[in-house]
Structure formats: structure tokens, C-alpha cells
PDB file of all heavy atoms in Angstrom:
ATOM      1  N   LYS A 280     108.823 102.877 100.610  1.00  0.00           N
ATOM      2  CA  LYS A 280     108.553 103.508  99.307  1.00  0.00           C
ATOM      3  C   LYS A 280     108.574 105.008  99.426  1.00  0.00           C
ATOM      4  O   LYS A 280     109.138 105.710  98.546  1.00  0.00           O
ATOM      5  CB  LYS A 280     107.181 103.036  98.768  1.00  0.00           C
ATOM      6  CG  LYS A 280     107.174 101.614  98.318  1.00  0.00           C
ATOM      7  CD  LYS A 280     105.963 101.299  97.405  1.00  0.00           C
ATOM      8  CE  LYS A 280     104.679 101.523  98.135  1.00  0.00           C
ATOM      9  NZ  LYS A 280     103.517 101.192  97.246  1.00  0.00           N
ATOM     10  N   ALA A 281     108.055 105.566 100.498  1.00  0.00           N
ATOM     11  CA  ALA A 281     108.053 107.018 100.713  1.00  0.00           C
ATOM     12  C   ALA A 281     109.471 107.496 100.901  1.00  0.00           C
ATOM     13  O   ALA A 281     109.804 108.620 100.393  1.00  0.00           O
ATOM     14  CB  ALA A 281     107.157 107.372 101.894  1.00  0.00           C
ATOM     15  N   ARG A 282     110.289 106.782 101.625  1.00  0.00           N
ATOM     16  CA  ARG A 282     111.711 107.174 101.795  1.00  0.00           C
ATOM     17  C   ARG A 282     112.437 107.184 100.437  1.00  0.00           C
ATOM     18  O   ARG A 282     113.213 108.059 100.154  1.00  0.00           O
ATOM     19  CB  ARG A 282     112.392 106.223 102.788  1.00  0.00           C
ATOM     20  CG  ARG A 282     112.035 106.439 104.222  1.00  0.00           C
ATOM     21  CD  ARG A 282     112.909 105.523 105.058  1.00  0.00           C
ATOM     22  NE  ARG A 282     112.815 105.783 106.523  1.00  0.00           N
ATOM     23  CZ  ARG A 282     113.793 105.592 107.388  1.00  0.00           C
ATOM     24  NH1 ARG A 282     114.965 105.134 106.914  1.00  0.00           N
ATOM     25  NH2 ARG A 282     113.605 105.833 108.641  1.00  0.00           N
ATOM     26  N   ARG A 283     112.183 106.132  99.660  1.00  0.00           N
ATOM     27  CA  ARG A 283     112.845 106.044  98.366  1.00  0.00           C
ATOM     28  C   ARG A 283     112.443 107.242  97.484  1.00  0.00           C
ATOM     29  O   ARG A 283     113.271 107.837  96.799  1.00  0.00           O
ATOM     30  CB  ARG A 283     112.492 104.703  97.695  1.00  0.00           C
ATOM     31  CG  ARG A 283     113.289 104.346  96.524  1.00  0.00           C
ATOM     32  CD  ARG A 283     114.738 104.138  96.808  1.00  0.00           C
ATOM     33  NE  ARG A 283     115.009 103.093  97.776  1.00  0.00           N
ATOM     34  CZ  ARG A 283     115.143 101.792  97.474  1.00  0.00           C
ATOM     35  NH1 ARG A 283     114.978 101.388  96.209  1.00  0.00           N
ATOM     36  NH2 ARG A 283     115.380 100.893  98.423  1.00  0.00           N
ATOM     37  N   ALA A 284     111.182 107.595  97.546  1.00  0.00           N
ATOM     38  CA  ALA A 284     110.718 108.735  96.770  1.00  0.00           C
ATOM     39  C   ALA A 284     111.351 110.026  97.289  1.00  0.00           C
ATOM     40  O   ALA A 284     111.481 110.958  96.447  1.00  0.00           O
ATOM     41  CB  ALA A 284     109.187 108.848  96.911  1.00  0.00           C
ATOM     42  N   ALA A 285     111.717 110.061  98.510  1.00  0.00           N
ATOM     43  CA  ALA A 285     112.355 111.271  99.060  1.00  0.00           C
ATOM     44  C   ALA A 285     113.866 111.267  98.817  1.00  0.00           C
ATOM     45  O   ALA A 285     114.549 112.242  99.239  1.00  0.00           O
ATOM     46  CB  ALA A 285     112.080 111.350 100.552  1.00  0.00           C
ATOM     47  N   GLY A 286     114.378 110.246  98.151  1.00  0.00           N
ATOM     48  CA  GLY A 286     115.777 110.229  97.797  1.00  0.00           C
ATOM     49  C   GLY A 286     116.683 109.350  98.658  1.00  0.00           C
ATOM     50  O   GLY A 286     117.855 109.221  98.347  1.00  0.00           O
ATOM     51  N   TRP A 287     116.115 108.688  99.703  1.00  0.00           N
ATOM     52  CA  TRP A 287     116.928 107.800 100.520  1.00  0.00           C
ATOM     53  C   TRP A 287     117.000 106.460  99.832  1.00  0.00           C
ATOM     54  O   TRP A 287     115.999 105.880  99.431  1.00  0.00           O
ATOM     55  CB  TRP A 287     116.268 107.668 101.902  1.00  0.00           C
ATOM     56  CG  TRP A 287     117.113 106.985 102.930  1.00  0.00           C
ATOM     57  CD1 TRP A 287     118.238 107.439 103.551  1.00  0.00           C
ATOM     58  CD2 TRP A 287     116.912 105.654 103.479  1.00  0.00           C
ATOM     59  NE1 TRP A 287     118.736 106.544 104.449  1.00  0.00           N
ATOM     60  CE2 TRP A 287     117.964 105.434 104.385  1.00  0.00           C
ATOM     61  CE3 TRP A 287     115.940 104.683 103.284  1.00  0.00           C
ATOM     62  CZ2 TRP A 287     118.024 104.261 105.184  1.00  0.00           C
ATOM     63  CZ3 TRP A 287     116.018 103.508 104.057  1.00  0.00           C
ATOM     64  CH2 TRP A 287     117.060 103.313 104.947  1.00  0.00           C
ATOM     65  N   GLN A 288     118.178 105.878  99.700  1.00  0.00           N
ATOM     66  CA  GLN A 288     118.380 104.652  98.881  1.00  0.00           C
ATOM     67  C   GLN A 288     118.415 103.383  99.633  1.00  0.00           C
ATOM     68  O   GLN A 288     118.552 102.292  99.072  1.00  0.00           O
ATOM     69  CB  GLN A 288     119.669 104.832  98.076  1.00  0.00           C
ATOM     70  CG  GLN A 288     119.675 105.945  97.046  1.00  0.00           C
ATOM     71  CD  GLN A 288     118.473 105.773  96.081  1.00  0.00           C
ATOM     72  OE1 GLN A 288     118.308 104.739  95.483  1.00  0.00           O
ATOM     73  NE2 GLN A 288     117.667 106.848  95.971  1.00  0.00           N
ATOM     74  N   GLY A 289     118.369 103.436 100.983  1.00  0.00           N
ATOM     75  CA  GLY A 289     118.532 102.241 101.760  1.00  0.00           C
ATOM     76  C   GLY A 289     117.335 101.350 101.855  1.00  0.00           C
ATOM     77  O   GLY A 289     116.223 101.751 101.363  1.00  0.00           O
ATOM     78  N   ARG A 290     117.458 100.184 102.443  1.00  0.00           N
ATOM     79  CA  ARG A 290     116.349  99.306 102.699  1.00  0.00           C
ATOM     80  C   ARG A 290     115.988  99.370 104.214  1.00  0.00           C
ATOM     81  O   ARG A 290     116.845  99.677 105.015  1.00  0.00           O
ATOM     82  CB  ARG A 290     116.691  97.828 102.344  1.00  0.00           C
ATOM     83  CG  ARG A 290     116.885  97.562 100.885  1.00  0.00           C
ATOM     84  CD  ARG A 290     117.338  96.174 100.697  1.00  0.00           C
ATOM     85  NE  ARG A 290     117.410  95.734  99.300  1.00  0.00           N
ATOM     86  CZ  ARG A 290     118.433  95.929  98.492  1.00  0.00           C
ATOM     87  NH1 ARG A 290     119.534  96.548  98.946  1.00  0.00           N
ATOM     88  NH2 ARG A 290     118.424  95.491  97.233  1.00  0.00           N
ATOM     89  N   LEU A 291     114.720  99.059 104.514  1.00  0.00           N
ATOM     90  CA  LEU A 291     114.300  99.012 105.915  1.00  0.00           C
ATOM     91  C   LEU A 291     114.277  97.564 106.394  1.00  0.00           C
ATOM     92  O   LEU A 291     113.906  96.640 105.661  1.00  0.00           O
ATOM     93  CB  LEU A 291     112.895  99.604 106.055  1.00  0.00           C
ATOM     94  CG  LEU A 291     112.807 101.151 105.888  1.00  0.00           C
ATOM     95  CD1 LEU A 291     111.356 101.630 106.038  1.00  0.00           C
ATOM     96  CD2 LEU A 291     113.660 101.832 106.959  1.00  0.00           C
ATOM     97  N   LEU A 292     114.676  97.376 107.642  1.00  0.00           N
ATOM     98  CA  LEU A 292     114.780  96.008 108.212  1.00  0.00           C
ATOM     99  C   LEU A 292     113.531  95.716 109.046  1.00  0.00           C
ATOM    100  O   LEU A 292     113.092  96.576 109.874  1.00  0.00           O
ATOM    101  CB  LEU A 292     116.015  95.963 109.132  1.00  0.00           C
ATOM    102  CG  LEU A 292     116.210  94.653 109.941  1.00  0.00           C
ATOM    103  CD1 LEU A 292     116.470  93.480 108.989  1.00  0.00           C
ATOM    104  CD2 LEU A 292     117.363  94.793 110.944  1.00  0.00           C
ATOM    105  N   VAL A 293     112.955  94.553 108.901  1.00  0.00           N
ATOM    106  CA  VAL A 293     111.899  94.041 109.712  1.00  0.00           C
ATOM    107  C   VAL A 293     112.493  92.887 110.540  1.00  0.00           C
ATOM    108  O   VAL A 293     112.747  91.782 109.999  1.00  0.00           O
ATOM    109  CB  VAL A 293     110.681  93.553 108.921  1.00  0.00           C
ATOM    110  CG1 VAL A 293     109.644  92.951 109.850  1.00  0.00           C
ATOM    111  CG2 VAL A 293     110.065  94.719 108.155  1.00  0.00           C
ATOM    112  N   HIS A 294     112.740  93.138 111.794  1.00  0.00           N
ATOM    113  CA  HIS A 294     113.342  92.126 112.695  1.00  0.00           C
ATOM    114  C   HIS A 294     112.315  91.675 113.674  1.00  0.00           C
ATOM    115  O   HIS A 294     111.646  92.440 114.331  1.00  0.00           O
ATOM    116  CB  HIS A 294     114.508  92.803 113.458  1.00  0.00           C
ATOM    117  CG  HIS A 294     115.252  91.883 114.349  1.00  0.00           C
ATOM    118  ND1 HIS A 294     114.986  91.809 115.696  1.00  0.00           N
ATOM    119  CD2 HIS A 294     116.294  91.016 114.143  1.00  0.00           C
ATOM    120  CE1 HIS A 294     115.793  90.948 116.279  1.00  0.00           C
ATOM    121  NE2 HIS A 294     116.546  90.432 115.337  1.00  0.00           N
ATOM    122  N   THR A 295     112.060  90.368 113.692  1.00  0.00           N
ATOM    123  CA  THR A 295     110.957  89.784 114.513  1.00  0.00           C
ATOM    124  C   THR A 295     111.518  88.677 115.388  1.00  0.00           C
ATOM    125  O   THR A 295     112.106  87.738 114.854  1.00  0.00           O
ATOM    126  CB  THR A 295     109.850  89.241 113.627  1.00  0.00           C
ATOM    127  OG1 THR A 295     109.542  90.211 112.619  1.00  0.00           O
ATOM    128  CG2 THR A 295     108.604  88.966 114.456  1.00  0.00           C
ATOM    129  N   HIS A 296     111.287  88.779 116.678  1.00  0.00           N
ATOM    130  CA  HIS A 296     111.745  87.689 117.599  1.00  0.00           C
ATOM    131  C   HIS A 296     110.796  86.518 117.498  1.00  0.00           C
ATOM    132  O   HIS A 296     109.571  86.666 117.579  1.00  0.00           O
ATOM    133  CB  HIS A 296     111.701  88.199 119.044  1.00  0.00           C
ATOM    134  CG  HIS A 296     112.891  89.115 119.388  1.00  0.00           C
ATOM    135  ND1 HIS A 296     113.562  89.042 120.541  1.00  0.00           N
ATOM    136  CD2 HIS A 296     113.457  90.100 118.651  1.00  0.00           C
ATOM    137  CE1 HIS A 296     114.523  89.968 120.597  1.00  0.00           C
ATOM    138  NE2 HIS A 296     114.497  90.592 119.425  1.00  0.00           N
ATOM    139  N   ALA A 297     111.393  85.343 117.283  1.00  0.00           N
ATOM    140  CA  ALA A 297     110.548  84.118 117.157  1.00  0.00           C
ATOM    141  C   ALA A 297     111.476  82.955 117.385  1.00  0.00           C
ATOM    142  O   ALA A 297     112.624  82.934 117.034  1.00  0.00           O
ATOM    143  CB  ALA A 297     109.944  84.023 115.761  1.00  0.00           C
ATOM    144  N   GLY A 298     110.873  81.880 117.961  1.00  0.00           N
ATOM    145  CA  GLY A 298     111.598  80.613 118.145  1.00  0.00           C
ATOM    146  C   GLY A 298     112.611  80.649 119.280  1.00  0.00           C
ATOM    147  O   GLY A 298     113.396  79.698 119.345  1.00  0.00           O
ATOM    148  N   GLU A 299     112.557  81.622 120.142  1.00  0.00           N
ATOM    149  CA  GLU A 299     113.514  81.640 121.252  1.00  0.00           C
ATOM    150  C   GLU A 299     113.055  80.749 122.335  1.00  0.00           C
ATOM    151  O   GLU A 299     113.869  80.118 122.990  1.00  0.00           O
ATOM    152  CB  GLU A 299     113.623  83.098 121.766  1.00  0.00           C
ATOM    153  CG  GLU A 299     114.673  83.270 122.880  1.00  0.00           C
ATOM    154  CD  GLU A 299     114.798  84.718 123.319  1.00  0.00           C
ATOM    155  OE1 GLU A 299     113.962  85.558 122.938  1.00  0.00           O
ATOM    156  OE2 GLU A 299     115.764  84.989 124.013  1.00  0.00           O
ATOM    157  N   GLY A 300     111.762  80.709 122.572  1.00  0.00           N
ATOM    158  CA  GLY A 300     111.259  79.908 123.700  1.00  0.00           C
ATOM    159  C   GLY A 300     111.294  80.659 124.989  1.00  0.00           C
ATOM    160  O   GLY A 300     111.869  81.743 125.087  1.00  0.00           O
ATOM    161  N   PHE A 301     110.711  80.061 126.010  1.00  0.00           N
ATOM    162  CA  PHE A 301     110.620  80.745 127.325  1.00  0.00           C
ATOM    163  C   PHE A 301     110.528  79.642 128.353  1.00  0.00           C
ATOM    164  O   PHE A 301     109.615  78.827 128.321  1.00  0.00           O
ATOM    165  CB  PHE A 301     109.316  81.602 127.321  1.00  0.00           C
ATOM    166  CG  PHE A 301     109.100  82.406 128.544  1.00  0.00           C
ATOM    167  CD1 PHE A 301     109.557  83.729 128.637  1.00  0.00           C
ATOM    168  CD2 PHE A 301     108.479  81.844 129.669  1.00  0.00           C
ATOM    169  CE1 PHE A 301     109.304  84.473 129.740  1.00  0.00           C
ATOM    170  CE2 PHE A 301     108.263  82.630 130.813  1.00  0.00           C
ATOM    171  CZ  PHE A 301     108.697  83.920 130.840  1.00  0.00           C
ATOM    172  N   ALA A 302     111.472  79.670 129.294  1.00  0.00           N
ATOM    173  CA  ALA A 302     111.459  78.703 130.359  1.00  0.00           C
ATOM    174  C   ALA A 302     110.906  79.369 131.645  1.00  0.00           C
ATOM    175  O   ALA A 302     111.458  80.349 132.120  1.00  0.00           O
ATOM    176  CB  ALA A 302     112.882  78.174 130.614  1.00  0.00           C
ATOM    177  N   THR A 303     109.826  78.785 132.148  1.00  0.00           N
ATOM    178  CA  THR A 303     109.210  79.362 133.374  1.00  0.00           C
ATOM    179  C   THR A 303     109.224  78.289 134.434  1.00  0.00           C
ATOM    180  O   THR A 303     108.933  77.104 134.203  1.00  0.00           O
ATOM    181  CB  THR A 303     107.735  79.749 133.046  1.00  0.00           C
ATOM    182  OG1 THR A 303     107.693  80.599 131.979  1.00  0.00           O
ATOM    183  CG2 THR A 303     107.132  80.456 134.233  1.00  0.00           C
ATOM    184  N   TYR A 304     109.547  78.669 135.635  1.00  0.00           N
ATOM    185  CA  TYR A 304     109.631  77.786 136.778  1.00  0.00           C
ATOM    186  C   TYR A 304     108.407  77.957 137.642  1.00  0.00           C
ATOM    187  O   TYR A 304     108.046  79.076 137.996  1.00  0.00           O
ATOM    188  CB  TYR A 304     110.911  77.998 137.576  1.00  0.00           C
ATOM    189  CG  TYR A 304     112.141  77.556 136.846  1.00  0.00           C
ATOM    190  CD1 TYR A 304     112.845  78.406 136.028  1.00  0.00           C
ATOM    191  CD2 TYR A 304     112.571  76.262 137.018  1.00  0.00           C
ATOM    192  CE1 TYR A 304     114.042  78.014 135.359  1.00  0.00           C
ATOM    193  CE2 TYR A 304     113.731  75.795 136.361  1.00  0.00           C
ATOM    194  CZ  TYR A 304     114.438  76.675 135.505  1.00  0.00           C
ATOM    195  OH  TYR A 304     115.530  76.275 134.853  1.00  0.00           O
ATOM    196  N   TYR A 305     107.777  76.860 137.951  1.00  0.00           N
ATOM    197  CA  TYR A 305     106.641  76.851 138.848  1.00  0.00           C
ATOM    198  C   TYR A 305     106.905  75.934 139.991  1.00  0.00           C
ATOM    199  O   TYR A 305     107.569  74.893 139.835  1.00  0.00           O
ATOM    200  CB  TYR A 305     105.363  76.396 138.127  1.00  0.00           C
ATOM    201  CG  TYR A 305     104.971  77.276 136.981  1.00  0.00           C
ATOM    202  CD1 TYR A 305     105.398  77.081 135.696  1.00  0.00           C
ATOM    203  CD2 TYR A 305     104.158  78.378 137.265  1.00  0.00           C
ATOM    204  CE1 TYR A 305     105.033  77.880 134.629  1.00  0.00           C
ATOM    205  CE2 TYR A 305     103.785  79.228 136.194  1.00  0.00           C
ATOM    206  CZ  TYR A 305     104.209  78.960 134.891  1.00  0.00           C
ATOM    207  OH  TYR A 305     103.896  79.814 133.853  1.00  0.00           O
ATOM    208  N   SER A 306     106.374  76.231 141.182  1.00  0.00           N
ATOM    209  CA  SER A 306     106.531  75.349 142.299  1.00  0.00           C
ATOM    210  C   SER A 306     105.423  74.309 142.340  1.00  0.00           C
ATOM    211  O   SER A 306     104.556  74.304 143.209  1.00  0.00           O
ATOM    212  CB  SER A 306     106.533  76.154 143.631  1.00  0.00           C
ATOM    213  OG  SER A 306     107.681  76.985 143.683  1.00  0.00           O
ATOM    214  N   ARG A 307     105.463  73.387 141.393  1.00  0.00           N
ATOM    215  CA  ARG A 307     104.526  72.285 141.410  1.00  0.00           C
ATOM    216  C   ARG A 307     104.758  71.370 142.627  1.00  0.00           C
ATOM    217  O   ARG A 307     103.867  70.786 143.200  1.00  0.00           O
ATOM    218  CB  ARG A 307     104.654  71.531 140.137  1.00  0.00           C
ATOM    219  CG  ARG A 307     104.079  72.244 138.921  1.00  0.00           C
ATOM    220  CD  ARG A 307     104.252  71.354 137.670  1.00  0.00           C
ATOM    221  NE  ARG A 307     103.609  71.861 136.500  1.00  0.00           N
ATOM    222  CZ  ARG A 307     103.690  71.366 135.336  1.00  0.00           C
ATOM    223  NH1 ARG A 307     104.409  70.293 135.109  1.00  0.00           N
ATOM    224  NH2 ARG A 307     103.069  71.919 134.293  1.00  0.00           N
ATOM    225  N   THR A 308     106.063  71.244 142.942  1.00  0.00           N
ATOM    226  CA  THR A 308     106.448  70.459 144.135  1.00  0.00           C
ATOM    227  C   THR A 308     107.289  71.339 145.054  1.00  0.00           C
ATOM    228  O   THR A 308     108.479  71.277 145.012  1.00  0.00           O
ATOM    229  CB  THR A 308     107.242  69.223 143.707  1.00  0.00           C
ATOM    230  OG1 THR A 308     108.359  69.636 142.915  1.00  0.00           O
ATOM    231  CG2 THR A 308     106.399  68.288 142.865  1.00  0.00           C
ATOM    232  N   PRO A 309     106.561  72.159 145.826  1.00  0.00           N
ATOM    233  CA  PRO A 309     107.330  73.111 146.686  1.00  0.00           C
ATOM    234  C   PRO A 309     108.293  72.392 147.626  1.00  0.00           C
ATOM    235  O   PRO A 309     107.981  71.339 148.185  1.00  0.00           O
ATOM    236  CB  PRO A 309     106.232  73.801 147.508  1.00  0.00           C
ATOM    237  CG  PRO A 309     104.966  73.552 146.735  1.00  0.00           C
ATOM    238  CD  PRO A 309     105.136  72.259 146.062  1.00  0.00           C
ATOM    239  N   PRO A 310     109.497  72.948 147.738  1.00  0.00           N
ATOM    240  CA  PRO A 310     110.450  72.366 148.707  1.00  0.00           C
ATOM    241  C   PRO A 310     109.984  72.462 150.137  1.00  0.00           C
ATOM    242  O   PRO A 310     109.274  73.383 150.495  1.00  0.00           O
ATOM    243  CB  PRO A 310     111.766  73.188 148.465  1.00  0.00           C
ATOM    244  CG  PRO A 310     111.289  74.484 147.918  1.00  0.00           C
ATOM    245  CD  PRO A 310     110.021  74.197 147.120  1.00  0.00           C
ATOM    246  N   ALA A 311     110.419  71.515 150.889  1.00  0.00           N
ATOM    247  CA  ALA A 311     109.986  71.476 152.327  1.00  0.00           C
ATOM    248  C   ALA A 311     110.568  72.654 153.116  1.00  0.00           C
ATOM    249  O   ALA A 311     111.697  73.109 152.829  1.00  0.00           O
ATOM    250  CB  ALA A 311     110.428  70.216 152.974  1.00  0.00           C
ATOM    251  N   GLN A 312     109.803  73.173 154.026  1.00  0.00           N
ATOM    252  CA  GLN A 312     110.290  74.261 154.889  1.00  0.00           C
ATOM    253  C   GLN A 312     110.835  73.658 156.160  1.00  0.00           C
ATOM    254  O   GLN A 312     110.483  72.557 156.534  1.00  0.00           O
ATOM    255  CB  GLN A 312     109.148  75.237 155.168  1.00  0.00           C
ATOM    256  CG  GLN A 312     108.695  75.980 153.924  1.00  0.00           C
ATOM    257  CD  GLN A 312     107.744  77.125 154.278  1.00  0.00           C
ATOM    258  OE1 GLN A 312     107.834  77.717 155.337  1.00  0.00           O
ATOM    259  NE2 GLN A 312     106.880  77.470 153.322  1.00  0.00           N
TER     260      GLN A 312
END
């Protein structure tokens, strides 16, 4: 709103990361040495 009042005509983007997921590896069963 303040930008529009200053004469700028564009819109502002709200980009939010969501739903990507995250794969994490844990050594629940460590490989033999």
C-alpha cells in the first residue's frame, strides 16, 4: 500500500516454501565394519 501511494504500480510477491518434504538418513542399522 505504501509503494502504491508512492506511485509504484506493481504487486508484491509472497513466496513460501511448503510441501517439499525432507529426506533424512539415519544409521538405525549401521553397516558392518
Side-chain angles (χ1 to χ4, degrees):
K280 288 198 298 183
R282 283 185 173 212
R283 192 64 60 84
W287 191 72
Q288 296 303 308
R290 292 175 173 86
L291 288 178
L292 176 66
V293 176
H294 182 263
T295 314
H296 284 222
E299 182 177 13
F301 184 95
T303 307
Y304 288 89
Y305 298 92
S306 292
R307 287 179 173 176
T308 53
Q312 294 193 27

